[in-house]
Each structure stands twice: as structure tokens, then as C-alpha cells.
Amino acid sequence: MRYIKMTTANTYKFLENLKDEATLYAPTKISEQFYDFTEIDDVDDVEFHYNRTIRPPRRFFYPEEETMFRFDTDKVELYENTPREGRFVIFGVHACDVVGLRILDAEFIDEQPDPYYKMRRDNGIIIGLSCLPDEYCFCNVRRTEFVDKGFDLFFHEVADGYLVRVGTVQGHKLLDPYPELVGEVTQEDIDYMEDFEEKRSSMYTLQGNWDSLRYFLEMRLDHPMYERESEKCLGCGNCTLTCPTCRCYDVKDVPSIDGKTGERIRFWDSCQFRSHGLVAGPHNFRPTKESRFKNRYQCKNAYCEEVTTAYCVGCGRCTYFCPAEINFKRNLMEIGGYQGVGD
Amino acid sequence: MTSEQENVYDTSKCRLLRTYDLSEVDKLFLFRFEDPEKAQNFRFKPGQFVEVSLLGLGEVPISICSSARRVGFFELCIRNAGRVTSAIHHLNPGTLVGIRGPYGNGFPMEKFHDRDLLLVAAGLGMAPLRSVFLYALDNRWLFGDITIINSAKYANGLLFQKELEAMKDIATAENISIVQTVTRDPDFDGLHGRVNTHFDKVNVDPENCTVAMCGPPPMYKGMFEECIERGYDPRYIFVTLERKMKCGVGKCGHCNVGTATSWKYICKDGPVFGYYDVLDIPGLI
């Protein structure tokens, strides 16, 4: 991997240049409490130190709602509505979210690729950014706190700028036109990064790894946690909508007023909704709140073979944004029998 | 289509050629792809399903119930149970619908060869099993004795009842036993009781028999116990399952089932599962 140095001033220049080439999205402060990836007009708005965005980056590749087809009901023909967006850059993606996208790749770009997701993924450039954890983060026990794949460039904070890892050919191409913005990595930079990583590591509230958690989850399917915690659940789906790896969707046809044409639309669904497992009849394969709650805990802790991590990347969003204050990390610790419960 | 690669969610036009009432709520639909080449090349395995689109209303996953040998058309048995299926029931022959598929793994028919065959159907279960049965008839020399147990709550709900009855004489000559039973219909002039109560009428060698089942989920557990107790080889016991499905290709997530270490999509990894899959995947049945 190639390592370069970019000073803070040059980083702003680089972002300014990127903005001219492609649509640039980066984290900005959208309210007193929240951050979100937004389209950048003024690069001074970019937040380099943020904990988590309210919406994960997956929406740039797999939007909340999209028209898959337009159709003609008389001819019974579907007209593909593949994305027309041009090239775009998402700057400032934390390591956990980079892994989140790789997990979605494994699901959407398999032997039967989803054309909508894939086309956007081909057009999207990912630039990672280092971060420090807060009490909601547990990416380290998920082994997603550091990434080697899934980004074009990754910016690591150093004293006077960024040590940049170049992850792909696309990453090299981004830097090629601006040799004046790129410098050599110095010993000080490497030392800074080492200190940063050490500090970062010590800031996590949990240590070790949760690789065996999935077995405990499976062996403790009747754990009292599920009943207790699902009682609190409002079934709002916030945990799944803010999750960087949740990918369930529903499809509906929206006909025109005369019924002759229409659109086939897909939109994010949530396994926490009662309708998720409901079929005609009406039979529901997950009829209770507890069964739906349990399903999420199993699904998020299942093993993604392609990425070799759990589907949960430890970003902390589902807990941070839960209106019922259900603490996913803590509940998992209880099931796994890990230290710290009751602190 | 404008893209270079085929869109997995795109449908092909199929014309409804004929309908046939099977019960008060179930109808048999005969379809043929409009594109002759597509019609000629469409192949499926017993147990696979297609997604049927009524543009403006949506899609539903339906098992194919015809013989995989008969090229050029296929049949679907559809119950009038929801918004889309109700609309399908009102279609007239000649109407076009969108079809994509076939999807799912289907029954591993090669594992069925050179063995006896027991098909156990309850309610709508006969729909996918009819494909298996027709496969066995089309390749009669590859199978030993065959028994079908077809059941429903009421006699008028016995799917393909007439078809099965009509072939009874030939069936006897061909070592095929057809057992039809009802559970809640005192007026039925035939067998009564659940499928497992008629295992004594099954004319197969349990040790050398493949079992394929389809019915409501609560039936499976009891049937597994019944089969194991009677000495059927668990490696040759198969079920086909139902879940909510939207995409059919393992993307939309509705048919996810399992636990953290055994996580499956019914649409892609199933809908056919073996006895040991069921042991492996909690919540499957």
C-alpha cells in the first residue's frame, strides 16, 4: 500500500478540487446533536471530528426509496430505471462504516448482482477518516476498527495534517493530478499515528473480541434479556434504519391515476415492523415483538463470510438513536457473559 | 432493457392460456412465455418457484406445479388468499402477466432415483409436490414404489383430487398408492384423519425411500418423528417451506431465518430443506 502525507491546508485544497470533479459528500453538523453526510458546497463545513452520522453511508448506494422500474400495464412491460447519478465522493467514512459497505457488497453484488446498487458502487469513491471512539463504540471487539479494503483513500490524523493510505487504483488516480498537494510520510507522522492508535485503543470501553458471541447467542435463545428488553421496544425501526448493514427492503407498485402506467418502488423495510413477516392468510412468521427483537440480535451477529466479521460493525448507532434507550451493546454483553455488565 | 447486464428483477411476459378451478379458493393457471425462445428454453426443477407480477398490484412467489418435462408452458396452483392472488383469480385467459424465475434450489431429484418415493401433502402442499410426482411418472423406471398422501381439512380442498382419483386404476398397475384423507369433513366418503394416521397404508420400503413433504409448518415436527420412528432414512427426508418473499434472490431479507451461526434465505438456500438442515437451523420449521 502507498502512504503519503497531506497537510491540513492541502487537504482542504484537495477537497476543493474533488468537488469540481464529482459530487462531494462529507460529514457536517446538522443540528446541536447530530451529524450527517451532506453534499458539500463549502469545504469549510466538513467536520473532521465527529462520532457518528445519523444516517449510514449505505443510502448513497441503496437509497431509502427508489423507483426500480416504470411500467406499462397494458403492454405488461417494465422499463428499467437504473441510476443516472454521475461520479460522487463520500469523504470522512469511519472504518466501521467502510466495513459496513463491504458487507452490503457481499449481499448485493453476489452471483445475482443488484444492478442499482452495483451501478452506484461503481460510481462512488470512498475516502476513509480516522476517529476516536465514544462510549457507544465497540468496533474494536468486532474487529472493524481498522480496515485494509473497501476505501480508495484513508485519511489518518497526524499532527499537522493526514497520513493517507491509498487503497485502490482509483485512489492513486485521485492523487495523480495534484502532486503539489502530496508529501512524504515522515518518522514524526508514523510516531504520531502509533500514539494515536494507542490512545484510541485505550479509549474503548471494551477490550478483547466478540468472535464467539454468536455461539452464545445461539445457545441462549431463551435468555430472559429478550423478553425484558423487547418489552421496552417501540417497534419504530430506528435501530435498523440507522444500521450501516441493514438491508431489508419492501417493494410496492404505484399505479398512475388511470392505471395504465406506474412505478415499481422499493423502500427500506425493518424486521422490527410487524408487517415484515406477514403473509397472506394472514399468517405472520414473526408475530411477536420478542420474536422480531430476537431476529435482529441473531441477524446482526451472524457471520459474513466474505468480510469475515459479524454483520454488526459496532458503530453504536442503534443504541445512540434508540428512543426507548435499549442498549444493544450492553444486551449483547449480557448474553455473551462478558465483563462490565452492571457497571 | 438498456443496461448491458440483465436486471435480475426484470420480468418476462407470460400469457395466461387457461384456468381450472381446483377448489373454492384454489385455481390452476396455465401460462406460456410470449417470447417463443424463452418459452422453449424455460427449465425448472420440481420445488422451484416463480415471482408472478401483476403490474400495478405487485409480485407474489408461487411454486410451479407442472411437469418439468413438458416444455413450452408451466402451471401454477394459486390460492386466493391476498390482494395480488385475488386479482390473479379474476384474470381471464389471454391476459399477460410478468414472470421471473425460476428461483430456489428445488428438490434434489437425483437423490430420489432408484428409491421408493413417499409424498406427503397437506392443504396447499400438493402444489409443489405435484411437480415431484409428475417427475416420477415421467421417469417411472427410475423409481420404486410410490405413495402419495394428500390431505386437506375438507374434501373440496383436496388439491388435484380428481386428477389423482382418475389415475387410480393405472396407478395400482404401476405400484403407485394414492391416499387422500380429510381432517374436518364428516361427509367425505373416504379416509379421515391426519396424514400420519395413514402411514400404515404406505406401500414403500422405509429404509430405501425418499420422503418429500409440504404442508403447514406445524405438520413437519410430527411428521419427522413419525418418519424416524418408522425407520425412514433421515438423509432422505425433505420439506419445502414458505416465507414472505419479495425479491426471490436473497436480497430483500424477508425470508431470512435462523440464528447467528446458521442464517439462511428460504428463497435462495431453500425452499427445499433436508431433515438435517432442520436440525441445524433453529426456527426453520
Side-chain angles (χ1 to χ4, degrees):
Chain A
M1 200 171 276
R2 184 186 176 205
Y3 300 86
I4 60 114
K5 167 77 178 286
M6 203 179 272
T7 63
T8 307
N10 283 347
T11 302
Y12 279 105
K13 281 183 201 158
F14 178 63
L15 289 178
E16 193 64 49
N17 292 337
L18 279 183
K19 196 158 68 67
D20 295 337
E21 282 179 37
T23 312
L24 175 67
Y25 298 96
T28 55
K29 202 168 169 61
I30 57 158
S31 71
E32 196 55 46
Q33 268 182 298
F34 302 136
Y35 296 90
D36 198 10
F37 288 102
T38 59
E39 187 175 340
I40 299 299
D41 190 32
D42 181 351
V43 292
D44 287 335
D45 293 339
V46 176
E47 284 285 350
F48 288 82
H49 298 100
Y50 74 101
N51 41 28
R52 61 183 59 73
T53 56
I54 186 163
R55 294 185 293 179
R58 69 173 154 123
R59 70 189 168 93
F60 293 103
F61 307 98
Y62 169 43
E64 290 93 328
E65 181 173 307
E66 75 178 305
T67 299
M68 305 168 80
F69 300 99
R70 299 186 199 291
F71 55 74
D72 182 315
T73 43
D74 287 337
K75 291 181 187 158
V76 192
E77 277 174 5
L78 294 170
Y79 308 108
E80 198 172 335
N81 186 53
T82 40
R84 304 244 178 271
E85 299 97 334
R87 263 182 13 134
F88 61 96
V89 179
I90 309 176
F91 175 82
V93 184
H94 289 167
C96 59
D97 278 349
V98 170
V99 177
L101 287 173
R102 288 187 57 209
I103 288 172
L104 288 192
D105 289 352
E107 298 298 315
F108 279 120
I109 311 178
D110 55 7
E111 65 280 3
Q112 289 185 295
D114 181 281
Y116 309 94
Y117 179 88
K118 188 172 183 301
M119 198 167 286
R120 292 199 181 90
R121 203 67 168 99
D122 291 342
N123 285 334
I125 293 161
I126 303 294
I127 303 183
L129 179 65
S130 61
C131 55
L132 292 171
D134 65 7
E135 71 270 29
Y136 294 93
C137 295
F138 56 105
C139 55
N140 61 329
V141 294
R142 288 300 196 191
R143 300 172 182 266
T144 63
E145 81 278 33
F146 196 86
V147 282
D148 293 321
K149 262 189 197 171
F151 56 85
D152 298 295
L153 297 172
F154 203 105
F155 279 58
H156 292 269
E157 183 183 319
V158 291
D160 52 348
Y162 294 91
L163 183 156
V164 183
R165 288 190 290 150
V166 185
T168 59
V169 172
Q170 177 68 59
H172 287 288
K173 284 187 187 168
L174 289 178
L175 296 172
D176 277 350
Y178 316 111
E180 72 282 5
L181 301 180
V182 170
E184 293 287 321
V185 174
T186 63
Q187 188 56 47
E188 286 77 46
D189 296 330
I190 297 169
D191 292 344
Y192 188 100
M193 189 164 156
E194 189 188 333
D195 291 344
F196 187 93
E197 288 301 318
E198 208 166 296
K199 175 181 166 197
R200 184 168 183 246
S201 178
S202 69
M203 284 172 72
Y204 287 104
T205 53
L206 298 171
Q207 297 299 329
N209 74 66
W210 282 9
D211 287 359
S212 60
L213 177 61
R214 55 185 177 273
Y215 304 110
F216 289 109
L217 275 158
E218 197 162 65
M219 288 187 282
R220 294 172 183 157
L221 278 171
D222 296 325
H223 198 285
M225 181 281 287
Y226 292 113
E227 194 188 347
R228 189 191 71 223
E229 296 292 313
S230 65
E231 276 290 304
K232 301 179 197 167
C233 178
L234 305 173
C236 69
N238 249 13
C239 49
T240 56
L241 300 177
T242 58
C243 176
T245 68
C246 270
R247 57 202 177 273
C248 285
Y249 68 78
D250 206 343
V251 182
K252 68 179 170 195
D253 280 6
V254 182
S256 60
I257 194 118
D258 61 1
K260 290 187 190 305
T261 58
E263 292 183 350
R264 179 159 289 178
I265 288 170
R266 75 167 167 195
F267 52 97
W268 290 359
D269 198 359
S270 169
C271 63
Q272 299 308 291
F273 296 158
R274 194 183 152 271
S275 56
H276 190 268
L278 186 68
V279 293
H283 176 71
N284 199 330
F285 285 98
R286 292 195 188 98
T288 64
K289 208 155 66 168
E290 187 180 343
S291 64
R292 297 192 283 275
F293 195 82
K294 202 175 276 187
N295 175 66
R296 186 170 80 87
Y297 277 67
Q298 298 297 327
C299 176
K300 289 292 113 184
N301 289 285
Y303 178 66
C304 179
E305 277 178 42
E306 293 85 348
V307 186
T308 67
T309 64
Y311 281 92
C312 165
V313 294
C315 71
R317 283 186 181 91
C318 55
T319 302
Y320 191 78
F321 297 110
C322 177
E325 296 183 350
I326 295 168
N327 192 319
F328 189 60
K329 180 176 89 171
R330 201 181 165 83
N331 290 343
L332 289 177
M333 286 165 70
E334 190 178 335
I335 293 261
Y338 299 124
Q339 42 79 20
V341 183
D343 290 354
Chain B
M1 287 295 126
T2 47
S3 65
E4 293 159 24
Q5 198 171 17
E6 206 178 311
N7 186 328
V8 286
Y9 309 112
D10 192 17
T11 62
S12 300
K13 272 189 256 191
C14 268
R15 195 172 290 279
L16 174 61
L17 300 179
R18 213 164 52 222
T19 68
Y20 177 82
D21 290 334
L22 289 171
S23 77
E24 281 174 6
V25 287
D26 304 300
K27 262 189 188 180
L28 187 66
F29 297 82
L30 178 73
F31 288 104
R32 181 182 164 82
F33 284 98
E34 274 293 90
D35 175 4
E37 202 179 322
K38 177 95 186 169
Q40 205 59 29
N41 294 332
F42 182 75
R43 293 287 184 282
F44 66 93
K45 288 199 279 182
Q48 285 193 299
F49 65 95
V50 289
E51 290 276 354
V52 186
S53 254
L54 277 197
L55 299 186
L57 279 173
E59 283 189 315
V60 279
I62 306 284
S63 295
I64 305 172
C65 71
S66 47
S67 158
R69 267 279 182 97
R70 297 168 82 171
V71 172
F73 68 89
F74 60 94
E75 287 169 322
L76 305 177
C77 166
I78 302 175
R79 173 162 292 181
N80 181 349
R83 207 168 48 95
V84 182
T85 52
S86 155
I88 295 174
H89 267 244
H90 287 95
L91 295 181
N92 293 318
T95 314
L96 290 172
V97 302
I99 296 276
R100 58 190 178 92
Y103 295 127
N105 55 358
F107 285 97
M109 295 311 297
E110 63 288 352
K111 280 193 94 173
F112 290 30
H113 293 171
D114 304 318
R115 303 174 61 82
D116 288 352
L117 179 63
L118 171 60
L119 301 177
V120 184
L124 257 178
M126 199 56 215
L129 294 187
R130 181 172 179 250
S131 267
V132 179
F133 179 52
L134 294 176
Y135 178 100
L137 290 184
D138 292 341
N139 303 279
R140 186 66 191 94
W141 63 93
L142 288 174
F143 292 83
D145 293 342
I146 299 172
T147 297
I148 296 179
I149 310 180
N150 186 22
S151 78
K153 284 180 192 161
Y154 301 96
N156 61 10
L158 278 172
L159 288 186
F160 304 104
Q161 181 191 7
K162 287 178 187 161
E163 178 176 297
L164 292 172
E165 262 167 21
M167 67 170 298
K168 234 165 194 173
D169 291 343
I170 305 165
T172 311
E174 295 247 8
N175 288 334
I176 298 169
S177 316
I178 296 167
V179 179
Q180 304 208 70
T181 176
V182 297
T183 52
R184 290 190 200 168
D185 190 346
D187 300 331
F188 180 57
D189 179 24
L191 295 173
H192 293 255
R194 289 176 185 277
V195 283
N196 54 325
T197 56
H198 297 294
F199 259 60
D200 291 333
K201 298 177 184 68
V202 171
N203 186 28
V204 295
D205 168 16
E207 281 174 29
N208 189 41
C209 179
T210 304
V211 187
M213 295 183 231
C214 185
M219 168 182 112
Y220 293 131
K221 211 166 169 274
M223 282 301 301
F224 280 146
E225 284 165 13
E226 186 80 33
C227 288
I228 299 299
E229 222 165 79
R230 288 177 179 268
Y232 285 85
D233 186 339
R235 292 173 301 165
Y236 292 93
I237 300 176
F238 298 92
V239 295
T240 174
L241 303 177
E242 183 209 0
R243 281 296 185 283
K244 178 167 178 171
M245 292 173 192
K246 282 287 174 179
C247 70
V249 289
K251 308 269 193 280
C252 80
H254 286 95
C255 68
N256 262 351
V257 67
T259 54
T261 66
S262 34
W263 196 247
K264 301 282 179 203
Y265 292 105
I266 301 282
C267 70
K268 198 168 75 166
D269 304 312
V272 175
F273 291 92
Y275 173 86
Y276 288 114
D277 294 327
V278 175
L279 287 190
D280 272 348
I281 309 163
L284 197 65
I285 63 166

